[in-house]
Amino acid sequence: MCGIVGYIGKEEAAPILLDGLSKLEYRGYDSAGMAVLNDDEIFMTKSKGKLEVLNQLTHGGETLKGHLGIGHTRWATHGEPSDLNSHPHLNANGTIAVVHNGIIENYAKLKEKLIKKGYEFKSETDTEVIAQMLDYYYNGDPLCTIATVMQRIEGSYALGVIFKDTPDVLYAVRKDSPLIVGHTDGGSIIASDVPAVLKYTRDVIFIENEEIVTLKDNEIKIFNIDREELDKPVKHIDWDADAAEKGGYEFFMLKEINEQPKAIKDTFSPRIKDGKIVIEELLMSEEEIRNIKRICFVACGSAYHTAVTSKYIFEGLARIPVDVEVASEFRYRDPIIEENTLVIVVSQSGETADTLAALRLSKEKGAKTLGIVNVVGSSIAREADMVMYTWAGPEISVATTKAYSAQLIAEYLLAMHFANVKGNLSDECLEEMIEDLKALPEQVELLVNNRKRVQRFANRYLAAKDVFFIGRNVDYAISMEGSLKLKEISYIHSEAYAAGELKHGTISLIEEGTLVVAVATQEEVYGKTKSNIVEVKTRGAVVMSVAVEGNSDIEDVSDYVIYIPETNKYFMNSLAVIPLQLFGYYISLGKGYDVDKPRNLAKSVTVE
Ligand code: F6R
């Protein structure tokens, strides 16, 4: 996710910007840049690549002299990582410079209007639109101009802005992207997150939505969008620097679990327009969609589990036959790819060697390919015929959580869109599903906030040796993910089973005290799953069930129940997975492991 830093004061700005940006590296980025005002002119250096490149280009900030500056690390969203797309962005005559964290959703429309008015664009970014809009509406009063532009842009943004005309003021703004400000010794600073400012101040103000800040070396003023001045509390930060990078969380995994409502929302909201699903990246006509004969999902690990969920959804909703295969198997057999087969590869990193090889093989065999990818500009994103990004932001913890949740959302959107285009899902039903989709972020947040309940149960089972996860239908797919989450970070042996399959062998492993996690969210098979729970309970198992609110009869057959709110049956995975992620997390935490870096595992598996 992009990071921004800005400084005005008695010190040279550039070294402070570089230092602050280095503290935001954990957010992930692919390019970096700075703009500094000096002698009535804005000077800028920006480049694709690591911060070290910017450091070298500017000799540690030496070549950019000046006391007012803005800096940025970019995590590409609109436009590939490149020097041109890096921030800052300037207006045509270089008198306004902007850095931006977030996504401007209506940028295409705004850009079109500006082009009609004669504006030219150098980059593919949504951010350049802001620089040009500021230019267009500029009336000599930057504060007023910023407020005007804010009323016209939609989406999320934290901005740092410099106007050549006001060399003693740094401007900043926030809507749905984080921004903090504070006084340093002899200056003022802005940043996306606390670690960037800790060296300079521990007293910060958290800027809220639609607030505008003007910073001078000895004065910070905060205004609402109507330009009325606000009185805001100063918060003292006492985290150590390491904890600060994790936003106060002990591990990135918990931070990322908490970020799931945002990852879900950011993935669906740009693709829902006027009650319809619009997937601009899907370069397929309605006729081509109707002609799809088969979809073949290929992925590894958790990404594969999202695809298992999708098989139920695509077949149930869109009535398109779906195969799901792990990439390491797919690539070494001779898969049959018939005409009108769509191959969908799913990958957080976009670099997983087996998934990439499967993609290449599919293309060789003539399939149309779609990548569902989180890391912008990664190999799979570049090589697939079409790429649909999941906007989960950088994921640091090895065990995936928010990228998994975002992948599910991308797959739901595709299935709903295909079903609607094929006439299997009416516009009314689609609208109802969209409403359910929109409710997911809040529902996920509720479940995350309820984490202490999962922790209490997890703490009782730190010594478990074997754990079985069971479920039917979509619940089986959730069980697979729950089982993987547990084993990979807690080193407890666990397996997932289709609940009906237990009696074909595995039930012989159940003995007094064996822990079984039963997922029972699917109404059609609820009674069947309950019977399977009874089967394991009579053999001595301890059962934790995950069920939908209202189905309290599950308590008769379970030792512990976690309830999830009601949603569309196909979206249950997005809710049921939360307690399972938390269960794995708290077991690992309770056992004292390094949750974020489990033994033998790497975040990006670029080798076979
Ligand atoms: C498990 C996990 C892995 C990945 C798998 C695929 O928590 O993170 O199973 O899902 O290695 O990685 P990507 O999605 O990067 O292709």
Side-chain angles (χ1 to χ4, degrees):
M1 222 36 126
C2 310
I4 66 178
V5 181
Y7 173 81
I8 179 158
K10 301 198 180 354
E11 308 290 326
E12 285 294 326
I16 294 176
L17 299 180
L18 280 172
D19 176 65
L21 291 175
S22 74
K23 301 296 183 329
L24 298 180
E25 280 190 297
Y26 75 90
R27 295 163 72 88
Y29 67 103
D30 44 56
S31 32
M34 296 188 286
V36 175
L37 186 82
N38 192 20
D39 274 347
D40 244 13
E41 225 184 297
I42 295 176
F43 294 90
M44 179 172 76
T45 306
K46 57 184 192 173
S47 154
K48 179 181 163 182
K50 289 286 156 201
L51 205 53
E52 189 44 36
V53 179
L54 186 66
N55 200 8
Q56 281 173 16
L57 285 173
T58 61
H59 299 280
E62 281 281 298
T63 58
L64 282 177
K65 293 278 179 218
H67 299 265
L68 165 59
I70 47 178
H72 190 263
T73 45
R74 174 174 188 249
W75 196 78
T77 58
H78 297 71
E80 58 169 14
S82 69
D83 292 355
L84 265 185
N85 287 335
S86 309
H87 299 208
H89 289 281
L90 305 181
N91 62 335
N93 53 8
T95 55
I96 303 170
V98 180
V99 287
H100 168 214
N101 170 16
I103 295 175
I104 302 302
E105 284 164 15
N106 61 338
Y107 86 100
K109 242 191 232 158
L110 296 171
K111 187 169 178 176
E112 207 180 296
K113 278 191 195 158
L114 287 163
I115 288 172
K116 279 194 189 133
K117 293 188 190 301
Y119 280 83
E120 283 175 18
F121 285 80
K122 293 196 173 97
S123 77
E124 301 156 280
T125 63
D126 49 343
T127 307
E128 195 181 357
V129 168
I130 304 175
Q132 306 281 34
M133 296 261 296
L134 288 169
D135 179 282
Y136 180 69
Y137 287 104
Y138 188 57
N139 60 359
D141 177 351
L143 187 61
C144 170
T145 308
I146 289 174
T148 307
V149 170
M150 281 168 78
Q151 278 153 4
R152 283 158 179 79
I153 54 179
E154 289 164 19
S156 57
Y157 48 88
L159 306 175
V161 190
I162 301 177
F163 287 82
K164 180 184 103 118
D165 289 355
T166 48
D168 57 343
V169 192
L170 165 64
Y171 297 88
V173 161
R174 167 205 168 148
K175 185 178 163 260
D176 290 337
S177 290
L179 183 72
I180 54 165
V181 303
H183 277 302
T184 67
D185 190 13
S188 302
I189 192 162
I190 65 167
S192 303
D193 203 356
V194 172
V197 305
L198 272 189
K199 191 164 152 191
Y200 309 97
T201 179
R202 285 187 169 266
D203 295 311
V204 301
I205 302 170
F206 286 83
I207 303 305
E208 306 289 334
N209 274 350
E210 305 207 315
E211 289 178 353
I212 312 170
V213 195
T214 60
L215 302 102
K216 296 185 175 178
D217 53 4
N218 56 0
E219 174 194 279
I220 295 178
K221 285 186 176 178
I222 300 163
F223 303 87
N224 63 19
I225 196 161
D226 298 316
R227 287 175 285 144
E228 293 158 345
E229 198 175 335
L230 307 170
D231 198 15
K232 302 265 307 177
V234 176
K235 195 169 169 4
H236 184 74
I237 306 287
D238 46 18
W239 308 334
D240 63 30
D242 185 38
E245 288 199 8
K246 294 178 188 143
Y249 291 100
E250 200 170 346
F251 286 101
F252 279 109
M253 183 174 173
L254 188 59
K255 179 172 185 270
E256 287 160 6
I257 287 175
N258 271 273
E259 286 168 349
Q260 287 179 109
K262 181 167 163 33
I264 289 173
K265 189 163 177 239
D266 286 352
T267 302
F268 74 65
S269 52
R271 293 166 175 137
I272 293 178
K273 287 179 188 140
D274 307 323
K276 282 265 173 197
I277 292 171
V278 182
I279 306 173
E280 276 162 13
E281 313 91 315
L282 191 69
L283 313 170
M284 290 178 84
S285 66
E286 296 206 340
E287 199 188 332
E288 280 175 294
I289 292 173
R290 279 191 283 271
N291 283 341
I292 297 173
K293 289 278 167 298
R294 178 167 292 279
I295 294 177
C296 190
F297 272 98
V298 189
C300 301
S302 295
Y304 167 78
H305 297 157
T306 67
V308 177
T309 309
S310 287
K311 178 176 170 67
Y312 293 97
I313 307 177
F314 275 83
E315 291 193 344
L317 266 189
R319 308 305 297 156
I320 303 173
V322 173
D323 293 327
V324 184
E325 195 160 351
V326 286
S328 54
E329 285 301 309
F330 181 91
R331 66 179 290 195
Y332 286 120
R333 60 184 186 82
D334 191 8
I336 299 168
I337 308 261
E338 287 160 334
E339 220 188 328
N340 295 326
T341 297
L342 174 66
V343 173
I344 305 182
V345 293
V346 189
S347 176
Q348 187 285 128
S349 60
E351 301 293 350
T352 302
D354 285 324
T355 312
L356 184 58
L359 168 72
R360 288 176 180 157
L361 178 66
S362 304
K363 285 180 76 173
E364 261 168 46
K365 285 181 173 279
K368 203 169 187 65
T369 56
L370 167 67
I372 295 180
V373 180
N374 196 44
V375 176
V376 176
S378 56
S379 303
I380 293 177
R382 289 197 312 272
E383 292 189 29
D385 297 322
M386 303 167 282
V387 56
M388 186 172 172
Y389 283 113
T390 49
W391 299 121
E395 196 176 60
I396 313 280
S397 176
V398 165
T400 182
T401 51
K402 62 174 181 169
Y404 168 89
S405 284
Q407 284 163 356
L408 281 178
I409 299 296
E411 292 166 37
Y412 299 163
L413 289 171
L414 275 175
M416 289 155 68
H417 180 55
F418 284 6
N420 185 245
V421 168
K422 286 191 70 198
N424 295 328
L425 181 69
S426 68
D427 288 351
E428 282 117 58
C429 292
L430 178 71
E431 273 176 39
E432 269 171 38
M433 288 188 83
I434 288 177
E435 285 315 304
D436 283 335
L437 203 61
K438 287 183 177 165
L440 284 178
E442 222 169 277
Q443 293 175 320
V444 168
E445 195 170 336
L446 202 92
L447 289 163
V448 174
N449 290 344
N450 217 358
R451 56 182 174 268
K452 289 284 169 227
R453 216 178 121 62
V454 181
Q455 184 173 22
R456 273 200 298 279
F457 186 75
N459 282 344
R460 286 192 225 154
Y461 287 92
L462 300 181
K465 289 268 173 295
D466 304 286
V467 182
F468 295 92
F469 287 74
I470 59 169
R472 288 168 180 261
N473 198 293
V474 170
D475 292 339
Y476 172 42
I478 307 170
S479 301
M480 294 169 109
E481 179 60 8
S483 169
L484 180 62
K485 282 287 90 74
L486 178 68
K487 74 179 87 157
E488 68 181 326
I489 55 175
S490 74
Y491 318 144
I492 294 175
H493 166 250
S494 86
E495 287 183 52
Y497 278 93
E501 189 61 13
L502 275 183
K503 58 173 97 52
H504 299 287
T506 314
I507 202 159
S508 65
L509 291 170
I510 306 289
E511 52 187 25
E512 203 54 41
T514 306
L515 181 58
V516 173
V517 178
V519 188
T521 73
Q522 298 297 301
E523 218 47 60
E524 286 113 329
V525 288
Y526 177 69
K528 304 270 172 220
T529 308
K530 247 180 92 185
S531 305
N532 297 128
I533 298 175
V534 174
E535 282 162 16
V536 294
K537 275 225 54 89
T538 39
R539 284 156 183 88
V542 176
V543 177
M544 175 172 95
S545 293
V546 178
V548 179
E549 275 163 9
N551 285 339
S552 51
D553 56 322
I554 195 105
E555 289 174 25
D556 303 341
V557 297
S558 315
D559 297 273
Y560 206 77
V561 181
I562 303 285
Y563 288 107
I564 60 167
E566 183 68 66
T567 182
N568 184 285
K569 66 174 181 177
Y570 292 123
F571 301 160
M572 288 293 177
N573 193 334
S574 292
L575 301 180
V577 77
I578 307 297
L580 303 190
Q581 293 169 343
L582 289 165
F583 184 64
Y585 173 80
Y586 282 120
I587 294 254
S588 176
L589 187 76
K591 292 179 92 170
Y593 295 141
D594 184 346
V595 181
D596 289 334
K597 295 195 198 89
R599 69 186 180 203
N600 308 337
L601 293 175
K603 183 68 187 158
S604 186
V605 188
T606 51
V607 290
E608 273 190 67

